[in-house]
Amino acid sequence: MNQESKLSSREREIMDLVWRIGEATARQVQEALPDKPANATVRTILRILEGKGYLTHREEGRKFIYAPVESREKTAESALRRLLGVFYNGSVSEAVSGLLQMKDTNLNADELERLEEMIRTAKQKEKSNP
């Protein structure tokens, strides 16, 4: 996947849809979008996403069935690694600190507990892999 290829809002919307359903034809994407763009527009965007390395396709008769090259999680991990490298010199603690210092960051008790558990797990992992 071309890591430098940014997605437009429409491309992101289509990727979210394809990730959610697993694979889709242009017609399925068109029907699932709220504003029902023209089929030719959807096909063009699907080809662009394929060119950027986000989608692949297989042919079934005359239909092209598109599927993500990577899972949403894998794509998000790659984007997060780039973000860490560019803005935080690869420092996870600096990135987390930045997130927590944002004005609109309001964590509920469950989220705080989850973060604490993740920290405990990371500490245990560090102890077992010196």
Side-chain angles (χ1 to χ4, degrees):
M1 178 175 312
N2 181 349
Q3 298 298 331
E4 299 305 314
S5 297
K6 294 188 169 107
L7 298 179
S8 69
S9 59
R10 177 62 90 181
E11 290 168 345
R12 245 186 341 272
E13 184 178 29
I14 290 174
M15 281 306 303
D16 286 342
L17 174 67
V18 178
W19 273 318
R20 189 172 70 248
I21 63 178
E23 62 180 24
T25 64
R27 170 93 44 214
Q28 289 170 315
V29 170
Q30 178 191 26
E31 291 172 0
L33 292 172
D35 58 347
K36 307 280 188 271
N39 189 269
T41 301
V42 172
R43 286 194 320 265
T44 297
I45 295 171
L46 289 168
R47 282 194 304 274
I48 289 168
L49 288 167
E50 188 171 21
K52 288 183 175 183
Y54 287 93
L55 293 176
T56 188
H57 80 271
R58 63 183 165 80
E59 294 181 43
E60 257 183 34
R62 294 182 52 183
K63 292 181 186 176
F64 278 33
I65 300 173
Y66 292 88
V69 169
E70 294 181 335
S71 69
R72 172 181 291 205
E73 294 77 15
K74 184 75 171 166
T75 302
E77 182 181 322
S78 296
L80 191 53
R81 285 186 188 284
R82 285 193 313 278
L83 180 78
L84 279 173
V86 170
F87 294 103
Y88 299 100
N89 294 321
S91 171
V92 172
S93 63
E94 289 296 319
V96 170
S97 175
L99 287 169
L100 293 174
Q101 291 176 26
M102 291 172 56
K103 283 190 264 182
D104 58 350
T105 299
N106 296 314
L107 299 174
N108 63 37
D110 289 340
E111 291 170 317
L112 288 169
E113 179 59 37
R114 184 164 182 249
L115 288 171
E116 289 170 353
E117 179 60 32
M118 292 167 80
I119 291 168
R120 282 191 294 275
T121 300
K123 285 180 177 179
Q124 289 299 321
K125 188 175 171 183
E126 179 65 25
K127 285 180 184 176
S128 65
N129 294 322

